[in-house]
Amino acid sequence: DLLKSLYLLLRKIEKLGLISTQDEAGPYISPDLGTEVRSYGQIIRRELRQYHSNVEEVTVFDSPNSEQAIALSKAADADLVIFASFVPLAAYKAGSGLIPLAQGDFIKELKVKSKHLTILIYGSPYVLRELAKGDITLCAYGNTLPALKASVEVLCGKASSRGKLPVTILPEYLYRVSIWCWNKSLKL
């Protein structure tokens, strides 16, 4: 089973890198957490630390710039990198549900630097058309606290991925599939 393989890999590695995106708006007070959230990656890091003690997080802005070099350096040192992209959705707003071109280029570089790359998409699954494939790709449909927790539980083998893609995005991302593995060597 794919997720069991990833869970076994997570248990074996020493360094887990988490790179998450954030829009330019910056920190805000989360109503459901009652605390300042600097990035959704902060929440994912907290959840991952329940399963792995050595999680190092870097936050990059939607259009990566100076922090990109830091993130790529840390990715090269990590045994596994999780890239979490938060894709904002807003009705009738240009660019809604899309990632900036610079972020797509950054993911390509990240794939080259990383030993293993898992991509988490929080938002529109249509961004899968624009992204390089990670070793594993998982798409959640929002950035709510339950969605963030559930995605980490799926990656860490504590929950199954019950959601299914409601549409075919590309021949590689088919209707009714929930998680994709492009690196068959992850089958331990």
Side-chain angles (χ1 to χ4, degrees), residues 95-115:
S96 176
L98 302 174
I99 62 167
L101 292 175
Q103 193 178 114
D105 293 340
F106 174 69
I107 293 170
K108 288 176 189 168
E109 288 184 66
L110 194 57
K111 184 173 169 97
V112 169
K113 296 277 187 186
S114 303
K115 294 175 185 116

Side-chain angles (χ1 to χ4, degrees), residues 81-129:
V81 174
I82 296 173
F83 180 80
S85 182
F86 298 91
V87 184
L89 296 170
Y92 308 108
K93 184 176 178 191
S96 176
L98 302 174
I99 62 167
L101 292 175
Q103 193 178 114
D105 293 340
F106 174 69
I107 293 170
K108 288 176 189 168
E109 288 184 66
L110 194 57
K111 184 173 169 97
V112 169
K113 296 277 187 186
S114 303
K115 294 175 185 116
H116 295 288
L117 176 63
T118 292
I119 298 176
L120 302 176
I121 304 297
Y122 295 94
S124 172
Y126 289 101
V127 300
L128 295 168
R129 292 185 287 204

Side-chain angles (χ1 to χ4, degrees), residues 39-50:
S39 76
Y40 290 113
Q42 176 184 27
I43 298 166
I44 295 172
R45 182 188 67 221
R46 183 189 69 204
E47 295 301 314
L48 280 169
R49 283 195 171 149
Q50 294 179 39

Side-chain angles (χ1 to χ4, degrees), residues 22-57:
Q22 177 179 324
D23 65 21
E24 308 296 334
Y28 70 97
I29 302 298
S30 168
D32 59 346
L33 294 176
T35 186
E36 181 180 77
V37 174
R38 297 197 177 277
S39 76
Y40 290 113
Q42 176 184 27
I43 298 166
I44 295 172
R45 182 188 67 221
R46 183 189 69 204
E47 295 301 314
L48 280 169
R49 283 195 171 149
Q50 294 179 39
Y51 306 99
H52 198 284
S53 60
N54 193 5
V55 180
E56 208 171 317
E57 181 203 359

